[in-house]
Amino acid sequence: MEIRLHIDLMMARRKIGAGELAERIGITPANLSILKNDKARAIRFSTLAALCRELDCQPGDLLEYYND
């Protein structure tokens, strides 16, 4: 079981690039890449809130639970 992030999908829907999104939410492009590629072990609520604000979505649009 795991949680997967769908940041790349929301970025494509909103037509926003990684560099621009990283700058808007105040993290490095490298850290955004870690989140996008499901390499993160945790995410701060403040980062999740910033992602939701900039991508105009809800946390459930970005997070998905998988039970393998």
Side-chain angles (χ1 to χ4, degrees):
M1 69 183 138
E2 66 181 69
I3 303 279
R4 294 189 185 151
L5 293 168
H6 298 292
I7 297 171
D8 53 346
L9 179 63
M10 292 305 294
M11 287 174 57
R13 287 181 182 166
R14 303 298 189 251
K15 296 182 173 103
I16 185 171
E20 182 181 351
L21 181 59
E23 185 176 326
R24 285 185 182 185
I25 64 173
I27 65 173
T28 66
N31 284 338
L32 180 60
S33 178
I34 289 168
L35 291 172
K36 280 179 40 185
N37 295 314
D38 286 326
K39 302 293 183 195
R41 297 177 48 92
I43 184 170
R44 292 178 185 223
F45 281 132
S46 59
T47 302
L48 182 58
L51 284 166
C52 290
R53 181 188 69 237
E54 294 301 325
L55 295 173
D56 190 29
C57 65
Q58 294 294 313
D61 297 327
L62 298 175
L63 302 168
E64 188 171 3
Y65 171 75
Y66 283 86
N67 189 5
D68 294 334

